[in-house]
Amino acid sequence: MKLSVAIALLISAAAEAHYTFPSVGTSSDWQYVRTTANFQSNGPVTNVQSEDIRCYERTPGTPAQGTLNVTAGQELAYNAKASISHPGPMAFYIAKVPAGQTAATFDGKGKVWSKIYQDMPSLSGGIKWATQGTKSVSVKIPKCLANGEYLLRAEHIGLHSAGSSGGAQFYISCAQLSVSGGTGSYSPKNLVSFPGAYSASDPGILINIYYPVPTSYTPPGPAAETC
C-alpha cells in the first residue's frame, strides 16, 4: 500500500514538472492551439523521428476551435501551463498554408517550416536559459510575411536529462493563425520538415548541461530567419 502511494506521488510530481503550450495571447486553452496528446499528462515527446515532433496532436486532423487573426510585425505571447519548468532552448517555427487549404486543414507535413525565433543561453556561471520558470514567451510575427494562413509551432526542449540519447524532452504545440498586413517579401533560406529537421545526436539535443559545464551551445535546426 505504501509503495503504491509512493509511486503515485512520484508520477504526480513528474507530471507537475512537465508542461503544455495550450494558448496564445489572451485566448482560452486550445481555442487557437491544436489540442496536444499531453493535454492531461503534460508528458513530452522524446523521439525526434516521431510524427509527434511536428505538432504533438492528440488527434491528427482535428483542428483547433478557431484561427487567430494577427498582424504581421506584432508580438504574440505563446503561453505555457503551468510554466516552463525545465532548462533548455525555446524556438518558434512557422509554415505557410498552401493554396486550397486552411490553417484548420493543413497537416504541416513536408519541408514547409522555417524558424523565426531562437533563444540562446547565458554561459556565465553555468548554462542558463531566461525562459526557465516563465509562463509565456513572446514571438514577433515577421513583418515580411505574405498575407494568409499559417501554422505557428512552439517548441521548448527540456535538457535536464539530455546526457543520454532520447533524454531530451520536447514540449510542442501548433497554433492556427491568419496573418494580414505583411509585405510579402519573406524568403526563408532554410525550410525543414518535422520529423526530419533533427537527429537524436545533434549537439543541441544530446548534451550534458551539468558536467562538464558547457562553454557553448548550438541549438538544433536551422538559424532563425530575418526579414
Side-chain angles (χ1 to χ4, degrees):
M1 181 66 176
K2 289 183 179 179
L3 179 60
S4 62
V5 171
I7 292 172
L9 288 172
L10 285 171
I11 293 172
S12 175
E16 288 176 4
H18 297 162
Y19 36 99
T20 59
F21 288 97
S23 66
V24 288
T26 59
S27 65
S28 59
D29 290 356
W30 316 119
Q31 183 177 357
Y32 300 117
V33 176
R34 295 180 179 179
T35 303
T36 51
N38 66 340
F39 80 107
Q40 289 180 320
S41 71
N42 293 352
V45 179
T46 56
N47 181 359
V48 297
Q49 300 304 323
S50 166
E51 292 290 315
D52 286 340
I53 202 71
R54 185 179 307 117
C55 290
Y56 204 8
E57 294 174 70
R58 179 190 182 193
T59 308
T62 300
Q65 299 170 33
T67 297
L68 178 66
N69 293 320
V70 298
T71 303
Q74 80 168 73
E75 295 278 341
L76 180 65
Y78 215 119
N79 307 312
K81 188 176 183 180
S83 67
I84 300 173
S85 59
H86 296 313
M90 186 82 200
F92 289 96
Y93 289 80
I94 202 162
K96 181 79 165 62
V97 174
Q101 297 191 55
T102 67
T105 62
F106 183 41
D107 60 13
K109 291 182 179 179
K111 288 188 175 183
V112 295
W113 297 95
S114 59
K115 185 186 286 185
I116 60 171
Y117 174 98
Q118 177 70 66
D119 72 345
M120 293 296 290
S122 164
L123 296 168
S124 176
I127 187 166
K128 301 170 187 175
W129 280 266
T131 48
Q132 186 176 4
T134 61
K135 295 180 178 292
S136 181
V137 180
S138 290
V139 58
K140 185 175 183 179
I141 305 302
K143 178 64 178 176
C144 53
L145 288 182
N147 295 340
E149 297 197 348
Y150 291 81
L151 294 182
L152 176 65
R153 177 180 177 275
E155 171 195 281
H156 186 262
I157 310 175
L159 295 178
H160 55 292
S161 58
S164 58
S165 184
Q169 299 181 355
F170 292 78
Y171 298 89
I172 301 161
S173 71
C174 290
Q176 298 173 184
L177 305 181
S178 178
V179 176
S180 62
T183 65
S185 62
Y186 188 61
S187 181
K189 298 178 180 66
N190 295 292
L191 291 172
V192 297
S193 63
F194 291 100
Y198 301 159
S199 167
S201 60
D202 286 345
I205 294 174
L206 180 59
I207 180 174
N208 187 327
I209 63 171
Y210 302 110
Y211 186 83
V213 177
T215 57
S216 64
Y217 179 74
T218 303
E225 304 282 348
T226 57
C227 287

